[in-house]
Amino acid sequence: MPDRPALQSWPARALLGAVVLSALALGGATDATPSIAVAQPQASAPYVPGEVVVGFRPGTSQAATRAALQRTGVEQLSTPLAPFSTVAVLHGVSVQQAVTQLRRRRAVAWAVPDYIAHMAQVQAPAPFIPNDPGTSGKPGGWQQLQWNFVGPYSVNAPQAWANVAAASHPGGAGVIVAVLDTGVAYANHGHFVRSPDFRADEFVKGYDFVSHTPYPEDHNGHGTQVAGTIAEATNNGIGVTGLAYGARLMPVRVLDSQGDGASSAIAKGIYYAVDHHAQIINLSLEFTAGTVKAKSIPELIDALNYAHRRNVLVVAASGNEQADQLSYPAKARWVVSVGATTEDGCLGDYSNYGPGLTLVAPGGGPNSSLPRNDADCHSSATADGDIYQETFADVESPSVRVFGLPDGYYGTSMAAPHVSATAALIIASGVLGPHPSVAAITARLRATATALEPGDSDRLYFGAGLVNAAKATAPTGSTGATGPSGSTGSTGSTGSTGTTGSTGTS
């Protein structure tokens, strides 16, 4: 017996809008001329309104199928290639009434509504464009400055914001990120004032391990700039935007006003952050690559291992010496190591690279001639894109009471907080469950990164690729003009932080 009835004499199109079931037809045959009412499919409906799909028993002749349809008020106008007919019902007759009547005919094997399928894809919410003006004075002007958040070599922030908002955790709400740095302009305290683009309620208690006080005020501007990339207030009509603007920041001062800090202070800061419920720790600082080894900083290595055991993600800058090896703490086991890219999608000419690099993120500044061969990445093609966040307006002689969006901030210090913020958004989005492990977050960052160069060189210079906050949060299935490494101490902030550079002998 054939699988499909022989209907070779039927023409090629289905009976769309060709069949009518009137109230009279429900009682028997009719000679009435059918009225055609073709309904358009609606995605919100379970099946197509006003249409029925009819199948016939194997072996049923053309005459029998025609009779079956005519006896229920159907005039056969055309023939489908498939062994069934799609027919339209008369206005006022429900689909279920038509199905019931057709199923009573001997020649009819089945009659069903024409159910609607939907693409097996989670529909991404519309990207969120905040109203922050940047320097334009117009809502949304931040986009002119923050190429690192929106643009061809950005982290794709607007879609990431929409993703976490759809998960009811806008901007990474509910996640705590510790910023171990020069401090943060987080409060009005003494002669210090809070940055105008931070809210008082977005901070949790921190500590100053340089001055040994409970007030981790910023004396440099670097820490405030880094913290701004992570969670600067957003859609408030002020300044620019922060990637994980709904997260809460824990300011921990471990670097002094020159950007230098002892290994012991950094280690103490890590213990403090872990013990006070930070979920992510950002380390935009470095030791000299190749000179300071793991055995040189045992207290810091132990602290990093402690953070891992307590399931706290540590993100660190790869370093600013254009060395073919990573600096500590980025080189340490468990740490997510971050190199820097420019507005052209090239490796920054200062960024350390090599085996063990996890991924890269926007750091700004001039292009390196390595490794990409396209014209945009020749060292002579200098990118102008710095990283802009609200911090002390004067980079060379910072005043802790005067804020702005200064030029001159670029470096791996600026790259690392993009990854810390993306990790916060991953946690908030719930794509890895309510309490993802460090390993799961790291794997997600890698798996969703954007490849910048095919081949083995991609891993060497870019790790897994450019961090992509939009992909990372999508539901499954859907520093200074002169550059880095001013010689200012055994450690230092790894972003270039001023025209004279204050980055440490990283």
Side-chain angles (χ1 to χ4, degrees):
M1 180 178 294
D3 292 333
R4 306 197 323 183
L7 301 172
Q8 294 88 343
S9 62
W10 290 15
R13 292 193 59 183
L15 297 175
L16 292 174
V19 180
V20 190
L21 297 178
S22 66
L24 179 60
L26 293 175
T30 178
D31 293 327
T33 301
S35 299
I36 307 300
V38 180
Q40 295 298 319
Q42 298 178 12
S44 59
Y47 49 77
V48 179
E51 292 186 5
V52 175
V53 185
V54 186
F56 303 98
R57 297 187 185 280
T60 302
S61 67
Q62 179 181 349
T65 58
R66 184 187 299 274
L69 294 176
Q70 287 179 337
R71 289 193 180 99
T72 52
V74 169
E75 180 180 357
Q76 182 177 315
L77 300 180
S78 62
T79 305
L81 288 173
F84 60 83
S85 296
T86 303
V87 299
V89 299
L90 187 65
H91 180 71
V93 178
S94 73
V95 168
Q96 291 300 333
Q97 286 176 318
V99 165
T100 299
Q101 290 299 317
L102 284 166
R103 287 175 178 175
R104 293 173 180 172
R105 314 317 306 180
R106 183 181 298 275
V108 174
W110 49 263
V112 294
D114 199 354
Y115 284 97
I116 297 173
H118 308 286
M119 58 184 174
Q121 174 184 342
V122 178
Q123 288 292 95
F128 171 51
I129 306 298
N131 64 13
D132 306 71
T135 56
S136 72
K138 298 179 180 179
W142 63 272
Q143 297 171 85
Q144 299 173 22
L145 290 180
Q146 292 188 287
W147 61 268
N148 48 315
F149 281 9
V150 60
Y153 296 108
S154 73
V155 300
N156 296 317
Q159 188 59 59
W161 292 331
N163 292 341
V164 293
S168 300
H169 290 90
V175 180
I176 297 176
V177 183
V179 179
L180 275 61
D181 214 289
T182 62
V184 178
Y186 74 99
N188 299 320
H189 175 251
H191 70 288
F192 293 96
V193 296
R194 184 172 61 251
S195 167
D197 211 3
F198 281 137
R199 301 186 317 274
D201 63 356
E202 62 182 301
F203 293 94
V204 298
K205 183 177 175 59
Y207 196 82
D208 183 342
F209 287 95
V210 177
S211 298
H212 307 288
T213 74
Y215 307 107
E217 305 286 359
D218 194 354
H219 296 247
N220 176 282
H222 183 275
T224 298
Q225 209 273 358
V226 168
T229 295
I230 297 172
E232 191 154 310
T234 299
N235 205 39
N236 62 346
I238 299 173
V240 289
T241 65
L243 184 52
Y245 60 83
R248 302 185 75 189
L249 294 167
M250 179 186 294
V252 181
R253 185 174 181 231
V254 296
L255 305 179
D256 64 18
S257 61
Q258 301 303 307
D260 302 323
S263 174
S264 60
I266 300 167
K268 290 175 183 177
I270 292 172
Y271 284 114
Y272 178 92
V274 173
D275 290 344
H276 289 79
H277 313 297
Q279 293 155 278
I280 300 163
I281 295 174
N282 187 87
L283 300 175
S284 287
L285 50 86
E286 64 174 315
F287 292 86
T288 305
T291 299
V292 176
K293 304 180 185 298
K295 64 181 180 181
S296 309
I297 48 174
E299 72 277 35
L300 180 54
I301 299 301
D302 286 347
L304 293 170
N305 291 337
Y306 178 73
H308 182 74
R309 290 196 304 272
R310 297 288 294 271
N311 199 41
V312 176
L313 182 75
V314 180
V315 178
S318 69
N320 286 347
E321 300 158 297
Q322 201 182 14
D324 60 354
Q325 59 181 310
L326 308 182
S327 301
Y328 279 98
K331 193 173 183 178
R333 190 180 184 187
W334 318 123
V335 174
V336 173
S337 54
V338 185
T341 53
T342 69
E343 189 173 7
D344 294 328
C346 312
L347 191 71
D349 75 344
Y350 48 84
S351 183
N352 291 359
Y353 57 89
L357 184 67
T358 308
L359 75 173
V360 292
N367 298 329
S368 170
S369 59
L370 297 173
R372 296 176 65 193
N373 295 320
D374 57 79
D376 287 341
C377 289
H378 292 168
S379 58
S380 59
T382 302
D384 296 325
D386 293 341
I387 304 298
Y388 291 92
Q389 298 294 158
E390 193 89 20
T391 188
F392 303 150
D394 190 332
V395 175
E396 294 187 28
S397 302
S399 167
V400 299
R401 301 179 66 86
V402 181
F403 293 84
L405 297 169
D407 297 329
Y409 274 96
Y410 65 91
T412 55
S413 269
M414 283 62 257
H418 289 81
V419 176
S420 294
T422 300
L425 296 178
I426 290 172
I427 295 172
S429 72
V431 294
L432 298 177
H435 303 291
S437 67
V438 166
I441 298 170
T442 303
R444 181 75 176 184
L445 289 166
R446 288 179 179 274
T448 57
T450 302
L452 293 177
E453 180 78 6
D456 293 339
S457 64
D458 188 40
R459 294 285 175 179
L460 182 64
Y461 296 102
F462 298 112
L466 178 65
V467 65
N468 190 323
K471 288 186 177 180
T473 56
T476 302
S478 69
T479 96
T482 58
S485 60
S487 180
T488 57
S490 60
T491 68
S493 54
T494 65
S496 157
T497 58
T499 55
T500 58
S502 177
T503 59
T505 56
S506 324

